[in-house]
Amino acid sequence: MAFIEVDQVSKHFQVHTKAKGMWPALKSLVKRDYTTKKAVQDISFHIERGELVAYIGPNGAGKSTTIKMLSGILQPTSGTIQVGDIVPYQDRKQNAMRMGVVFGQRSQLYWDLAMEDTFDLYKHMYKIEEQQFKRNVEFYVELLQMQEFLTRPVRQLSLGQKMRANLAVALLHDPDVVYLDEPTIGLDIIAKSRIRQFVKEVNKEKQTTLMLTTHDMDDIEQICNRIIMIDQGQVLYDGSLSAFKESYAGGHFIRIELESDSFWLEDERLTVVKDEGPLKTIQFQKKQIAVPEVIQILTAHNRVKDIQMRETSIEDIVKDMYESRSTASEG
Ligand SMILES: Nc1ncnc2c1ncn2[C@@H]1O[C@H](COP(=O)(O)OP(=O)(O)OP(=O)(O)O)[C@@H](O)[C@H]1O
């Protein structure tokens, strides 16, 4: 049995439909009309202990709803969820003792308390043993470089410092699983990188299972080894990061800058995918044509000032997938 088992889970919300016009609005005071919003629709996935999983999808895809069901806040409309051997919504307290949650835009910290007091508070809340508490505070303070702001009230901390503090608190009781919702949102590059390093280090040291929702593709590349992508409440992809790139990557790109607007290219292995006057982006598959030959073809017929190479990033792939899904559902 996997550590997290989500089987054919759906979550539907009854949404009140607002009546337009005065008479229908008055009528709706007596009898309300509802429609069903299918936030999550028949999703299944299994996650083993210690996995680092990116749970991604466009806005409104159903990510937070899934995390809320996993953390026991919401009960599924149908299907089954087990985390460890617990059904989260049935045993919320026990589930909470075994998990940590960080919502990037919400804080679990107390504004007027300093971090050292906040740690004490959570020690009592989670009934953490003295030794384990000391060991973890030391480990997290060191790893997240929190020494400089331990004694300051939380309201005086920067966004990055607050995020580090939230992470330390969420992990203080050594949870088996941690759900991170946009943990690097709004942070600068250094703060992001510190948080990514921290998450990986904790996973390595303690085999903590991680489920991460993010819109930042660098978070995924640097932290996760598996992606579950959902859209409109359904799973679109579930597999390794490398297989994801292999299956969906549109090949390689070369971007050339020409000395003038005149351009000549006739080779069916090369496709111009972006034309910005003297700047051309050309796509090709390495299996069909090697890079030196691409360069040779382009430079033989054109006056080239500059050349840049790049692979399809997962950012490109994800953007393409989101866009093609939204075009399909509009059409
Ligand atoms: N309590 C609720 N009542 C009605 N509809 C809801 C409720 N919670 C979520 N929804 C709807 O369900 C869908 C999925 O929402 P959810 O918050 O899970 O998406 P998300 O993938 O987390 O999006 P984002 O990336 O914007 O946070 C959305 O259309 C949302 O409006």
Side-chain angles (χ1 to χ4, degrees):
M1 189 178 169
F3 177 58
I4 296 178
E5 297 206 340
V6 171
D7 288 302
Q8 296 180 309
V9 165
S10 298
K11 179 70 196 174
H12 299 171
F13 294 105
Q14 293 298 103
V15 188
H16 171 221
T17 43
K18 286 209 178 94
K20 284 198 187 112
M22 193 147 92
W23 178 238
L26 282 172
K27 245 175 45 185
S28 81
L29 291 175
V30 185
K31 186 180 174 297
R32 295 189 147 221
D33 287 326
Y34 291 92
T35 52
T36 303
K37 172 76 211 171
K38 295 177 178 174
V40 166
Q41 186 57 18
D42 198 22
I43 57 166
S44 300
F45 56 80
H46 290 182
I47 295 176
E48 297 297 336
R49 210 172 262 276
E51 275 197 90
L52 296 163
V53 179
Y55 194 60
I56 64 169
N59 291 123
K63 305 180 293 292
S64 301
T65 305
T66 312
I67 301 292
K68 284 179 191 161
M69 288 191 282
L70 285 165
S71 49
I73 299 170
L74 289 176
Q75 178 178 352
T77 308
S78 60
T80 57
I81 299 186
Q82 281 213 308
V83 180
D85 43 9
I86 293 172
V87 176
Y89 75 90
Q90 280 177 356
D91 212 337
R92 290 178 63 166
K93 206 165 162 198
Q94 212 189 338
N95 191 53
M97 296 301 274
R98 295 216 208 146
M99 71 169 188
V101 188
V102 175
F103 288 102
Q105 283 152 322
R106 260 169 286 154
S107 179
Q108 328 186 46
L109 309 172
Y110 295 86
W111 241 218
D112 294 316
L113 279 190
M115 266 323 287
E116 51 185 12
D117 301 324
T118 310
F119 281 141
D120 269 333
L121 185 78
Y122 275 86
K123 177 185 176 213
H124 293 292
M125 254 166 66
Y126 284 107
K127 301 187 176 64
I128 306 170
E129 280 174 23
E130 185 62 30
Q131 255 195 343
Q132 180 191 6
F133 174 73
K134 273 195 172 151
R135 202 177 47 232
N136 282 354
V137 169
E138 225 167 79
F139 183 55
Y140 298 147
V141 166
E142 163 88 33
L143 216 57
L144 288 165
Q145 296 171 26
M146 291 173 66
Q147 297 88 344
E148 38 162 335
F149 59 86
L150 271 183
T151 52
R152 256 186 280 153
V154 164
R155 75 185 122 79
Q156 290 179 7
L157 305 186
S158 73
L159 194 65
Q161 289 170 335
K162 270 187 235 146
M163 182 48 80
R164 281 185 267 162
N166 268 307
L167 275 171
V169 161
L171 289 159
L172 196 62
H173 57 298
D174 283 327
D176 294 325
V177 57
V178 59
Y179 306 111
L180 302 182
D181 192 358
E182 295 279 357
T184 62
I185 197 163
L187 303 184
D188 65 34
I189 293 176
I190 297 170
K192 281 184 184 194
S193 142
R194 197 176 272 155
I195 282 177
R196 290 170 187 150
Q197 279 308 111
F198 171 74
V199 170
K200 280 198 293 193
E201 190 61 37
V202 171
N203 167 266
K204 203 171 118 204
E205 276 292 310
K206 300 174 185 265
Q207 281 75 53
T208 315
T209 309
L210 170 82
M211 217 168 146
L212 167 83
T213 76
T214 183
H215 290 285
D216 187 324
M217 297 303 137
D218 289 336
D219 282 349
I220 301 173
E221 293 249 33
Q222 289 170 36
I223 302 174
C224 301
N225 36 36
R226 174 172 166 195
I227 294 185
I228 300 177
M229 183 194 269
I230 61 162
D231 191 14
Q232 294 166 23
Q234 292 180 305
V235 175
L236 287 190
Y237 175 87
D238 181 358
S240 73
L241 182 59
S242 52
F244 182 74
K245 281 188 183 170
E246 259 167 47
S247 322
Y248 295 102
H252 286 70
F253 295 91
I254 198 161
R255 191 170 135 107
I256 56 169
E257 187 180 349
L258 301 164
E259 289 193 350
S260 70
D261 270 356
S262 98
F263 179 62
W264 188 92
L265 177 66
E266 251 180 44
D267 192 307
E268 58 188 21
R269 295 167 299 175
L270 305 178
T271 316
V272 178
V273 286
K274 201 167 181 191
D275 192 342
E276 303 160 287
L279 286 176
K280 314 271 180 208
T281 306
I282 293 135
Q283 186 181 24
F284 63 98
Q285 305 291 338
K286 267 190 176 168
K287 276 181 271 175
Q288 292 179 347
I289 183 166
V291 177
E293 195 185 344
V294 177
I295 295 174
Q296 196 263 325
I297 291 171
L298 290 169
T299 51
H301 302 282
N302 300 291
R303 289 166 63 87
V304 176
K305 212 155 87 179
D306 191 22
I307 292 186
Q308 283 169 12
M309 284 283 307
R310 83 173 164 83
E311 275 184 42
T312 322
S313 66
I314 66 164
E315 179 115 36
D316 295 327
I317 306 170
V318 168
K319 196 166 137 265
D320 279 356
M321 287 178 81
Y322 290 179
E323 275 172 5
S324 63
R325 291 277 297 177
S326 74
T327 321
S329 63
E330 277 159 19

